[in-house]
Structure formats: structure tokens, C-alpha cells
Amino acid sequence: MKNEARLQPIASAHETVAALVTRSNRDAIPVRREFVQRKSGDGTSLPGPLAAFVRANDRFGLLLYLLLLTCASQKPYDVSHHSSVWARALGLPEFNGATARTRVSKAWHRLIERQLVTRERTRRSASLTPLKEDGSGDDYERPSSRFINIRHGLWTSGPLESEGPRWYDVLTLAELAVLLIALMNADDFALPAERVPDFYGVSADTFERGVRGLQNHGLLDVSRSRKAAPLAPEGYTIENRHTLRPPFGPMGTMSVATGAVR
């Protein structure tokens, strides 16, 4: 009828993310290892910027940052999209509303404060450019060594074969943190929970919660093995060893050292 407004189709969150991923023309996000774990001048392992996201419970900011790195696949690495596009991609309700746009803007501001992103305003959108992943504020270059690869299955696949939520919809902040930590290590790696705070700036409770979550999703295999411990009452301790499963692993190389972490 003439007076009836025709409803126009609106792209879904998954369609928006798929379009962004397709434009990157790659199948994984290379992220410098320093984002997860830095090294001091004497070689001591220190937490990277990931720890700040976990401490601030900033799951949205972490996903927004990873999505920016996905899009920034070619020089000069700047990405310009309206805030509503980012909001819709990450599933914010009322993505065209002021509240959603404000949430996106505040997330970019947090990333700027962490020296991970620069932002320049244009008439209708903001131009975002990543900085080096270690939080130093140095200019970004696509990493060619010492990086982890986050498969685009994070954006395009999920617990179900073809329909339903994607992994970025499903994974909690703890699970995302453990996923990034696992990508730092070889298959069958051992990492005692009590060492995680010093190595990665993530609490033991958060690590164990993330491990259980990834196990429940079928994304992480955890096996238990006996490790000789001369001073233990029984003469041994039980060690958990971890291997990522598709679409994020396995890594293809085995950890050969007991209790080895990177």
C-alpha cells in the first residue's frame, strides 16, 4: 500500500563482521607476542597490555582492538568506519543510537590511553590507526616475526557448524585471555596457574576459569601427567598440559620441556 513504509533489510552483526574480515584479505590476525607478554632488558618475562584489559574487565575493548587489527591489513593501516558499524559488528543493541556510539567512542579512548591506537576525527567517522602492540606508543608495522596468529575463525565460526553465535559472541574475557596465552605456547604446554600472574598479569582464578571455559567449548584439550617431585609427600605432583583445538590450534609443534612456558 502507498502509505505503508517498506521495511528495508539491515545487515546483521555477523554479516558486518564477515564483510570486515573479507576486506582484510587474510585468514588470521598477526599480533606481536609483546601484547601478551613482554621481556625486560635482562630477559625477565613481564605482562603485556593484555593484562590491563583483564584487570579492567574490558572485554568489549579487547574485541574492538582485535577487530581493528583484523581490518588494518595494509599500509598505511588506518581504518575509517562510522561508529555505528563498529557497534553493529560487535552486537551492541540499538547500534545506531547515541548510547552505542558513546560506548564505542569510550572504548577507543581507553585504547588511546593504553597507547595502542591513535584516532583522527573526520566529518562522519573517525580514522583509527593501531600503534605497536606492546603499548610503547611506537608506530605500527605488520609483524613479520615474534607474533601469534589468531585465526579468523574467531569472527566467522562458532560452536555450531553454520548458524548461531560466533566465537567472539561466546567467549568470555577469561576465555579470550587464556586463548591468547595458549597461542604463545607450543602444543601440550604446561603452565601452573600460580605462575600466570607473574608471566601474564592474569590471576590464577581467571586463568583456571578461562581454561575450564575453553575445555567446555571443545577448544582446549587438557591432559594430566605425573611429574617427579622429590620433596613432595608422594614423590610426584600432577601437571596439567594444554593443547588448543580447531579453529585456533593445534600449533603443530610440541612442548618438550616439563613445565615449559614462553
Side-chain angles (χ1 to χ4, degrees), residues 141-202:
E141 289 288 340
R142 198 80 171 178
S144 58
S145 63
R146 286 192 53 78
F147 62 89
I148 61 176
N149 256 330
I150 308 173
R151 307 294 295 182
H152 280 173
L154 175 67
W155 311 116
T156 60
S157 65
L160 305 177
E161 287 295 325
S162 58
E163 300 296 331
R166 307 295 191 257
W167 288 120
Y168 79 93
D169 297 315
V170 172
L171 297 181
T172 66
L173 179 58
E175 291 160 2
L176 287 167
V178 172
L179 171 62
L180 295 175
I181 291 170
L183 288 170
M184 292 278 291
N185 291 277
D187 299 330
D188 199 41
F189 73 94
L191 177 55
E194 63 270 17
R195 299 183 69 182
V196 175
D198 290 336
F199 275 84
Y200 301 107
V202 175

Side-chain angles (χ1 to χ4, degrees), residues 51-79:
F53 289 88
V54 177
R55 288 195 301 268
N57 196 28
D58 192 6
R59 178 181 180 273
F60 182 79
L62 178 59
L63 287 173
L64 191 62
Y65 179 60
L66 294 179
L67 190 55
L68 174 64
L69 291 179
T70 300
C71 297
S73 59
Q74 297 180 13
K75 290 184 177 181
Y77 306 119
D78 58 319
V79 181

Side-chain angles (χ1 to χ4, degrees), residues 69-127:
L69 291 179
T70 300
C71 297
S73 59
Q74 297 180 13
K75 290 184 177 181
Y77 306 119
D78 58 319
V79 181
S80 297
H81 292 296
H82 194 278
S83 58
S84 294
V85 174
W86 300 109
R88 183 171 66 250
L90 295 181
L92 292 187
E94 301 296 333
F95 59 84
N96 278 321
T99 299
R101 293 195 298 270
T102 298
R103 185 174 176 189
V104 170
S105 180
K106 287 183 176 179
W108 289 130
H109 183 70
R110 294 194 298 273
L111 294 174
I112 291 167
E113 287 185 326
R114 294 169 191 159
Q115 299 192 84
L116 294 170
V117 171
T118 63
R119 174 173 57 181
E120 294 183 6
R121 295 193 178 277
T122 60
R123 287 179 60 187
R124 288 185 53 81
S125 61
S127 177

